[in-house]
Amino acid sequence: MKRSVLTVSALTGLFSMQSFATQSIEKLEVQGTRTPLYSTRDVNASALGIKDPQFLPISIQSFSEELITNQRVKTLSEVLANDASVQNTAIGTVFDFVSLRGFQLDWTNGLRRDGLALAPYQDVPLENIQRIDIIKGPSSLVSGFNNPGGTINYVTKRPTMDSFLDITTEFRSRAGRYIHVDFGGPLDSEQTFGYRINAAAEKNGDFTGGDDLERYFFSAALDWQLSDRIFIRLDGDYQDKSTVSQPLIGLARDPNDDSRSVLPPYVDTSEVLLGQPWAKYKTESFNIAARVDFWLNDNWQWVNQVALSGNDRFTIFPDIYSVDLEGSVLSASIQVTPDETYDTVSAHSFFTGQLVTAGIEHELVVGASIRDYQSKDGRWFELDNPVGNIFDPIHVSKPVFPEYPDPTTTDTTESSFFITDTLHFNDVFYATLGLRHIQYKKDQTAPNQAKSTLDDRTFNTPIIGLNYNPNDQLAFYASYSEGAGEGGVAVIGSGAINEGESLGPQESEQIEAGIKYQTDSMNYSVAVFEIEKMLEYHNHITNYFVQDGTQSHKGIELNASGSFIEGLSTVASITFMDPSLDELDGEPALNGNRPANVPKFQANLFLDYQLPFLENLSVNAGMFHVGEREQNVNNNLNLPSYTRFDLGAKYHFSDFNTTLRIKAENLFDKEYWLSGGAKGIDWGVAPGRGRTLIASLSVSF
């Protein structure tokens, strides 16, 4: 059910990133049709402003609260499975890893919450999320340091004009249970002050199974229309989560050729635990944010926003390096990195408005931003993992941990100035020009050592875009953008000489062109792109993690979302990619190979159909196809393609304002390999989850 925001000002703020179609809803109700569930309008492109995607020279995909609710998904990777340009690059089960257009998000810059940075290594809960936006491509103009494939932004729920209370309970396969409460409304009769509360608790199993977890979540949001020209937003959330830590499963050896690796036998790790019951991955995270909008006049607005994000974690990563074809574990260990802390403070202040010079209308955004990120980590020790066999694992008592070494403290600061100008030459031709100047510095203090500066650099990241919009429905665009982002970290447990070492920042660039077409109820888009950046991989000749050569991804994406016909909503996506590795000096034999875990073809389709003969009943079905991928950059082992099917239904009991949802995920219990690892890890693969049954009941008051 759509609800209006507390005040119209939340619509016009540059970083609110909410999508509200009040006029469309009224029009649709007059016509007696359904409000489109999965079509979105007016998304936020950060420094480019809040706009209909038709007028932006980049590709943006958005996924609404309604889609998240109907699919009964709880993690980022599950939501983004609806976009064929997103790849799952999970390392075990502890937190989400995804790639956009084949480039993996880094741990410190890939995610934003209402436009500002999050502390890394946290699974962002979805209970207080209104929408998830994917802003594709490496434009650091949009959000500062980011990733070549793009940036993911979580849009938080805001207070509502009407008071409400929603309670949802859910049960899943393998003893999963869950409860979520969402309520809010105005606090005064003038409706100038409102609140929104979300709270959730979830428990799966007893930490002896592969999907077992326990978490508690709470969030609060306040909106205050202080005057006609001042609007204030405050919000915060907290999550305490413990989950079992599942490893990647190492490769096996070909019995006919001992020098050749083959895939291990498949095991559904949702049924078995390949780590240890005491080896829990624990996080305690919080986010606090404030924003003040000043309307200087009818044309100009001043936005100020600040956020504090923190994550404390105790990290335990079981590793299974190799197995035989019967599932016996040949080599394994457990890597422990205790009591790590990550804190991020980020803020921006900017002016946005319009002016006319020489007959040309300009939409301007001018501002500055800062991010201060501190981590205390880098200490780790190794334990045995006597799991025995992946089909019948051995669990042992928790050993006595050794004395913890002192952590390494790393301080990363990023300050920037940015300006963007959208020039309207006439009613159909637009140009977008933008530049962000970034000052980036990273200092590190290792135990018993003096502080050292790892990086101190500046970056200039432009965007140039052209739009031709012959009418309100059709748009043609082309753009060039550059990006800067964090480099990888040599993976601990890989055996590389420089384990744990930061590889330093690197730059990327993209050329993109596309077509967008929208109707009252549907969005269609086609995008053609090429992205280049330096490759990061484990060079087995030198036994170092390195940056070397060029990783280039050329692709075409086709997307459609909205209400295709009356009663039928859809999210459909297809991506073709031609990824390649070139210009490598350190390991030239890799030239011409494909990067790991990047399929040439990927497609998905989700349909939600309201039955015409039974108005309260809807059925939905999902198809998710991932093409063949390389398991490693040497291209000597393939991960087979797979197609997963989901099936669900929703029934609304009108007299009780109650909705029952049921779902079968992986309906046919397909065995498949979800991921070939990430960040240069080439020792193993992550199996997909078997059939999962879900039933939920939601009551609204």
Side-chain angles (χ1 to χ4, degrees):
M1 176 179 177
K2 294 274 187 181
R3 297 185 175 90
S4 299
V5 290
L6 177 67
T7 174
V8 176
S9 61
L11 279 172
T12 55
L14 183 60
F15 282 89
S16 67
M17 301 185 66
Q18 298 280 44
S19 176
F20 305 100
T22 305
Q23 293 180 352
S24 298
I25 292 174
E26 292 172 355
K27 179 180 178 182
L28 287 168
E29 289 176 347
V30 170
Q31 294 175 346
T33 60
R34 271 180 104 197
T35 302
L37 284 180
Y38 308 132
S39 180
T40 57
R41 296 286 193 268
D42 293 343
V43 301
N44 182 287
S46 296
L48 293 174
I50 283 186
K51 296 178 182 176
D52 189 313
Q54 291 289 102
F55 301 99
L56 292 171
I58 55 177
S59 180
I60 298 177
Q61 294 297 316
S62 299
F63 300 102
S64 67
E65 177 190 4
E66 291 88 350
L67 177 67
I68 293 169
T69 299
N70 283 340
Q71 290 189 342
R72 303 310 306 159
V73 292
K74 291 191 176 67
T75 65
L76 176 66
S77 59
E78 291 174 325
V79 177
L80 300 192
N82 292 284
D83 190 327
S85 70
V86 179
Q87 297 78 39
N88 192 306
T89 50
I91 303 177
T93 59
V94 291
F95 56 91
D96 273 344
F97 273 76
V98 295
S99 292
L100 305 181
R101 292 180 169 175
F103 293 98
Q104 184 178 301
L105 295 185
D106 76 63
W107 294 309
T108 56
N109 298 285
L111 302 179
R112 297 290 190 271
R113 180 182 179 272
D114 290 331
L116 292 180
L118 285 165
Y121 308 113
Q122 58 174 299
D123 266 337
V124 178
L126 302 182
E127 282 81 14
N128 68 330
I129 300 302
Q130 182 74 31
R131 199 178 71 238
I132 297 176
D133 294 330
I134 310 175
I135 303 171
K136 298 182 180 179
S139 175
S140 287
L141 169 78
V142 173
S143 54
F145 254 44
N146 68 359
N147 301 92
T151 302
I152 294 170
N153 187 73
Y154 294 90
V155 183
T156 56
K157 296 177 180 177
R158 304 310 307 171
T160 61
M161 293 184 67
D162 299 322
S163 297
F164 75 98
L165 169 63
D166 291 341
I167 301 175
T168 299
T169 59
E170 179 182 285
F171 297 93
R172 288 181 170 242
S173 300
R174 295 174 284 277
R177 55 270 196 206
Y178 167 82
I179 185 169
H180 172 214
V181 179
D182 182 5
F183 63 98
L187 289 171
D188 62 336
S189 58
E190 291 80 15
Q191 295 185 323
T192 62
F193 192 58
Y195 75 101
R196 185 78 174 264
I197 303 292
N198 278 270
E202 184 176 11
K203 180 73 181 293
N204 292 341
D206 59 358
F207 293 96
T208 60
D211 280 345
D212 294 357
L213 65 86
E214 182 175 10
R215 72 180 180 99
Y216 302 93
F217 172 76
F218 177 83
S219 72
L222 298 172
D223 284 359
W224 184 18
Q225 185 73 53
L226 182 61
S227 70
D228 290 342
R229 294 189 179 273
I230 301 177
F231 181 61
I232 299 172
R233 300 192 332 174
L234 303 171
D235 58 80
D237 58 57
Y238 169 83
Q239 178 174 250
D240 186 352
K241 181 178 180 180
S242 297
T243 182
V244 294
S245 187
Q246 287 275 31
L248 294 174
I249 300 177
L251 304 179
R253 290 294 179 184
D254 186 339
N256 299 316
D257 183 356
D258 190 58
S259 65
R260 179 175 176 268
S261 295
V262 296
L263 291 172
Y266 176 87
V267 59
D268 181 359
T269 52
S270 61
E271 300 286 354
V272 299
L273 175 60
L274 301 183
Q276 297 294 325
W278 48 266
K280 301 174 185 177
Y281 181 90
K282 299 180 179 181
T283 58
E284 190 173 358
S285 58
F286 70 90
N287 298 284
I288 302 172
R291 170 179 158 175
V292 182
D293 293 1
F294 297 91
W295 276 262
L296 306 177
N297 53 44
D298 291 341
N299 292 323
W300 285 89
Q301 182 182 357
W302 182 23
V303 177
N304 299 274
Q305 190 176 1
V306 62
L308 172 63
S309 180
N311 184 28
D312 296 342
R313 71 171 185 170
F314 196 103
T315 305
I316 299 183
F317 288 120
D319 294 321
I320 295 179
Y321 302 116
S322 62
V323 299
D324 64 23
L325 293 178
E326 284 71 45
S328 295
V329 176
L330 305 179
S331 177
S333 69
I334 296 177
Q335 308 292 332
V336 182
T337 52
D339 296 337
E340 300 174 300
T341 63
Y342 305 93
D343 295 293
T344 297
V345 178
S346 55
H348 51 220
S349 178
F350 54 86
F351 296 90
T352 175
Q354 300 176 348
L355 56 84
V356 177
T357 61
I360 298 176
E361 179 182 330
H362 300 262
E363 295 181 58
L364 288 172
V365 181
V366 181
S369 67
I370 60 169
R371 182 177 70 99
D372 189 346
Y373 163 58
Q374 184 181 89
S375 66
K376 293 183 178 179
D377 57 9
R379 52 182 173 180
W380 59 280
F381 55 86
E382 186 173 285
L383 302 171
D384 291 334
N385 184 21
V387 66
N389 188 287
I390 61 175
F391 296 108
D392 186 20
I394 298 171
H395 296 154
V396 298
S397 300
K398 180 180 177 180
V400 176
F401 287 179
E403 183 177 348
Y404 302 159
D406 292 331
T408 295
T409 299
T410 304
D411 289 290
T412 304
T413 58
E414 174 192 340
S415 59
S416 67
F417 298 92
F418 55 88
I419 180 171
T420 64
D421 185 5
T422 302
L423 299 89
H424 296 251
F425 299 114
N426 52 42
D427 291 339
V428 296
F429 283 104
Y430 313 90
T432 301
L433 304 176
L435 180 69
R436 184 184 290 259
H437 174 78
I438 302 172
Q439 178 67 52
Y440 173 88
K441 186 177 182 181
K442 178 183 284 189
D443 295 324
Q444 189 171 87
T445 304
N448 303 316
Q449 295 184 22
K451 181 171 70 173
S452 62
T453 298
L454 302 182
D455 289 291
D456 189 356
R457 300 173 58 183
T458 59
F459 300 89
N460 293 303
T461 57
I463 186 171
I464 303 171
L466 296 173
N467 267 73
Y468 171 58
N469 292 37
N471 54 54
D472 291 339
Q473 292 183 305
L474 183 62
F476 300 88
Y477 73 92
S479 64
Y480 170 81
S481 60
E482 296 181 3
E486 293 277 2
V489 175
V491 179
I492 294 174
S494 63
I497 295 172
N498 59 337
E499 284 186 13
E501 178 183 307
S502 173
L503 301 185
Q506 59 172 292
E507 298 172 274
S508 57
E509 60 181 358
Q510 174 185 263
I511 299 174
E512 180 177 330
I515 304 171
K516 302 175 184 179
Y517 179 72
Q518 67 180 24
T519 67
D520 289 339
S521 61
M522 283 292 295
N523 289 335
Y524 303 92
S525 66
V526 178
V528 180
F529 62 89
E530 181 177 6
I531 305 174
E532 287 189 356
K533 81 167 192 71
M534 189 174 291
L535 174 67
E536 296 177 327
Y537 71 104
H538 187 175
N539 185 319
H540 289 285
I541 296 176
T542 63
N543 198 25
Y544 277 87
F545 269 85
V546 296
Q547 295 174 338
D548 181 25
T550 300
Q551 183 176 349
S552 173
H553 295 185
K554 302 174 183 176
I556 179 171
E557 300 168 355
L558 299 90
N559 296 281
S561 63
S563 184
F564 189 70
I565 59 174
E566 183 177 346
L568 179 63
S569 297
T570 184
V571 174
S573 183
I574 298 173
T575 297
F576 299 89
M577 264 200 294
D578 180 19
S580 65
L581 309 178
D582 302 289
E583 303 176 9
L584 279 84
D585 296 323
E587 201 166 345
L590 300 181
N591 285 318
N593 284 4
R594 291 166 53 192
N597 213 54
V598 183
K600 288 187 175 181
F601 175 71
Q602 193 167 330
N604 58 267
L605 174 65
F606 182 78
L607 300 171
D608 187 311
Y609 183 54
Q610 179 179 294
L611 299 179
F613 52 84
L614 191 57
E615 187 175 293
N616 289 353
L617 179 62
S618 298
V619 295
N620 59 70
M623 182 278 293
F624 306 91
H625 175 81
V626 177
E628 182 182 86
R629 297 150 289 162
E630 298 294 338
Q631 192 272 337
N632 56 65
V633 294
N634 295 298
N635 290 188
N636 54 20
L637 181 62
N638 291 330
L639 300 181
S641 63
Y642 70 88
T643 304
R644 191 196 86 204
F645 293 92
D646 297 347
L647 184 65
K650 177 181 70 174
Y651 188 83
H652 183 68
F653 298 91
S654 302
D655 293 341
F656 305 98
N657 208 14
T658 299
T659 302
L660 172 67
R661 293 179 175 87
I662 58 174
K663 177 186 178 183
E665 183 183 285
N666 193 3
L667 178 65
F668 302 112
D669 205 22
K670 173 72 175 179
E671 295 183 356
Y672 64 95
W673 297 107
L674 180 67
S675 169
K679 286 295 181 186
I681 298 176
D682 58 9
W683 70 63
V685 288
R689 179 191 293 144
R691 183 188 298 113
T692 302
L693 303 179
I694 305 167
S696 72
L697 191 69
S698 300
V699 183
S700 297
F701 300 93

